[in-house]
Amino acid sequence: MGIWKWVFLGLLCSSFLFTIHAVELHRNQPTERISGSAGDVLEDDPVGRLKVFVYELPSKYNKKILQKDPRCLTHMFAAEIFMHRFLLSSAVRTLNPEEADWFYTPVYTTCDLTPNGLPLPFKSPRMMRSVIQLISSNWPYWNRTEGADHFFVVPHDFGACFHYQEEKAIERGILPLLHRATLVQTFGQRNHVCLKEGSITIPPYAPPQKMHTHLIPDKTPRSIFVYFRGLFYDVGNDPEGGYYARGARAAVWENFKDNPLFDISTEHPTTYYEDMQRAVFCLCPLGWAPWSPRLVEAVVFGCIPVIIADDIVLPFADAIPWEEIGVFVDEQDVPKLDTILTSIPPEVILRKQRLLANPSMKQAMLFPQPAQPGDAFHQVLNGLARKLPHDRSVFLKTGEKSLNWTAGPVGDLKPW
């Protein structure tokens, strides 16, 4: 049996080297534009297509929270902060609420961090209720639609369900007061209670400037076949195993920790970004939630994302052709990952890399400072613009109400 094991590994390595050689020969091929409507959508300019009114809120809902903990500027949930900053100086902003198409409430619900930098969502529902009570009391615009022409950025693990454990997030459901609003969120999974129809799924925040400083020359060979750095087990929060990542990460480790084609580890080296640029495939498995910054990093660094998260809804899916640039592997098929990836023809790999090399693809995944045409800020605005004009049914008749202000867990009803 031992001999056959090494024969098998030798064949795998031969296949791997053939693939890498084909990839290296074509590293400097021209980039490829997405064909059809997806490419047009990706390059849309939202300016002139919508107007956004930004509520001016007491600083306790945003600026003071950030002053208390500046780490919020660099964690993966920071899109809520940078979206606020972007809109304050954006050409789509209007100071006249009567001409606004959309209303934005800048509230930083994820900026409550543990010493380890993880967000605590437990105060978020009360904070959100408080800010909605404020805008509904001081402006007439919420009440005329009960939020149907308002959008909120909710980048928690499970969006406006406000919990990091899926079981409890499902039990909570989306905060009732947000049922008519448009939610801009990182979480996306089909047929899930924490993703309501009409939401805009965005990439998590990854620091553009930091990634830019780690770029390596284009001619560098991609000599790593499969790359991953991160947890395989979360012993602290899932001591019995099997719940974290629905067992998918554990399956990666158990099946491929000794496979020479797989460069996988829990260690996070200082060369992490450089290593991704040397890899052909980068694993993007689910963790506690389906999404992670690895997806952004893979696209930016031209590493083909291997998406292991059943039913995931990916960022800006109407503009980015995920099926063409990535590889989707069902969670139950993780033990067959080596066979799946080594079976992909070199010409398919090359086309995916050409698409990933397109600057517009990378730009759409980032929240740069300052903003750039086609970036994630503009993709959010494009998503909002495509929802216009609002149907007349979103405007309530005088005295009409549909939201229940007392619904939800009792703890959420306490003052913030």
Side-chain angles (χ1 to χ4, degrees), residues 183-212:
L183 303 180
V184 177
Q185 59 186 66
T186 44
F187 174 74
Q189 184 173 316
R190 288 186 291 275
N191 304 314
H192 199 286
V193 298
C194 298
L195 179 69
K196 74 186 197 71
E197 186 178 356
S199 297
I200 296 174
T201 309
I202 62 172
Y205 178 78
Q209 292 83 1
K210 181 180 178 182
M211 288 192 286
H212 183 75

Side-chain angles (χ1 to χ4, degrees), residues 342-368:
T342 55
S343 299
I344 300 174
E347 61 269 20
V348 174
I349 292 176
L350 290 168
R351 181 165 190 272
K352 291 180 184 294
Q353 290 178 327
R354 287 197 301 271
L355 286 169
L356 283 168
N358 189 323
S360 65
M361 196 81 67
K362 305 175 189 297
Q363 192 78 305
M365 296 295 285
L366 295 173
F367 295 93

Side-chain angles (χ1 to χ4, degrees), residues 39 85 277 322 397:
R85 292 183 174 182
Q277 294 168 78
W322 291 105
K397 298 175 182 176

Side-chain angles (χ1 to χ4, degrees), residues 53-69:
F53 179 76
V54 180
Y55 285 113
E56 292 190 19
L57 303 178
S59 59
K60 69 175 184 177
Y61 291 103
N62 40 59
K63 293 178 184 176
K64 279 190 177 178
I65 296 174
L66 182 57
Q67 288 170 359
K68 182 180 176 182
D69 198 336

